[in-house]
Amino acid sequence: MTDSTQEPSGDLLLRTLAMPADTNTNGDIFGGWIMSQMDIAGGILAQQITAGAVVTVAVDSMKFISPVQMGDVVCCYGEMKRQGNTSLALHLEVWVRPRMSREKGSRPHSKVTEAVFTYVAIDENGVKRRIPRD
Ligand SMILES: CC(C)(COP(=O)(O)OP(=O)(O)OC[C@H]1O[C@@H](n2cnc3c(N)ncnc32)[C@H](O)[C@@H]1OP(=O)(O)O)[C@@H](O)C(=O)NCCC(=O)NCCS
């Protein structure tokens, strides 16, 4: 359970809506769909930092905290955790805002998952390249 006083870590990288086509047989949203949103979000930040193309090389410490439901607004946040020569590790979090509801007792904005995604900067041949330093 997320502490209601907690706030997302990092910048908002992506915001989207969980649609009916993204549900599993329990009626919740597929974990794989959520991971793909995180990968897209992290890729945006990684491309920005490395000033070019990247590939995902690893996903670590993935933790699903609570299910996402159809109609939830899914927000991916991220920040850099470590920068290497050609790779960088991003800490990514997904928070959801429940679908608009007038019902009392609707769920608050809460963290549903977090993980560390590692990206490698690549050149036009798909070969790793050094990340430029400022
Ligand atoms: C990513 C890729 C280009 C790396 O090529 P490589 O020449 O074998 O690179 P290396 O093994 O030397 O690793 C490159 C960097 O990634 C890091 N890395 C490699 N595997 C890692 C892992 N499992 N976890 C964390 N970091 C890892 C290395 O530490 C190194 O970082 P550094 O240069 O900052 O020190 C290559 O493995 C590849 O193309 N993989 C497939 C990627 C892909 O298709 N992803 C899915 C779709 S986007």
Side-chain angles (χ1 to χ4, degrees):
M1 196 61 145
T2 309
D3 175 352
S4 59
T5 60
Q6 211 186 335
E7 289 296 324
S9 297
D11 296 327
L12 178 63
L13 303 172
L14 179 147
R15 200 162 75 116
T16 188
L17 195 59
M19 300 293 277
D22 308 318
T23 53
N24 60 26
T25 50
N26 301 326
D28 298 320
I29 298 299
F30 272 115
W33 180 82
I34 297 165
M35 282 181 77
S36 72
Q37 300 309 305
M38 295 171 85
D39 197 17
I40 293 167
I44 292 170
L45 180 57
Q47 286 183 27
Q48 194 182 319
I49 294 169
T50 67
V54 295
V55 284
T56 311
V57 75
V59 179
D60 293 294
S61 311
M62 184 101 201
K63 183 178 167 193
F64 287 101
I65 300 160
S66 55
V68 177
Q69 288 166 17
M70 185 181 69
D72 286 350
V73 177
V74 174
C75 305
C76 298
Y77 296 83
E79 61 191 351
M80 189 156 68
K81 201 173 132 72
R82 179 194 58 79
Q83 180 171 336
N85 294 320
T86 67
S87 70
L88 53 87
L90 303 180
H91 174 78
L92 300 175
E93 294 185 353
V94 177
W95 288 64
V96 295
R97 286 196 184 277
R99 63 192 299 176
M100 296 296 278
S101 168
R102 291 186 184 169
E103 293 165 28
K104 278 194 170 169
S106 65
R107 292 167 297 134
H109 186 212
S110 61
K111 181 163 69 176
V112 293
T113 186
E114 63 185 332
V116 175
F117 279 62
T118 303
Y119 298 87
V120 175
I122 54 163
D123 65 16
E124 55 281 3
N125 299 313
V127 175
K128 67 185 175 189
R129 64 181 166 89
R130 273 192 167 269
I131 300 172
R133 303 271 173 182
D134 291 331

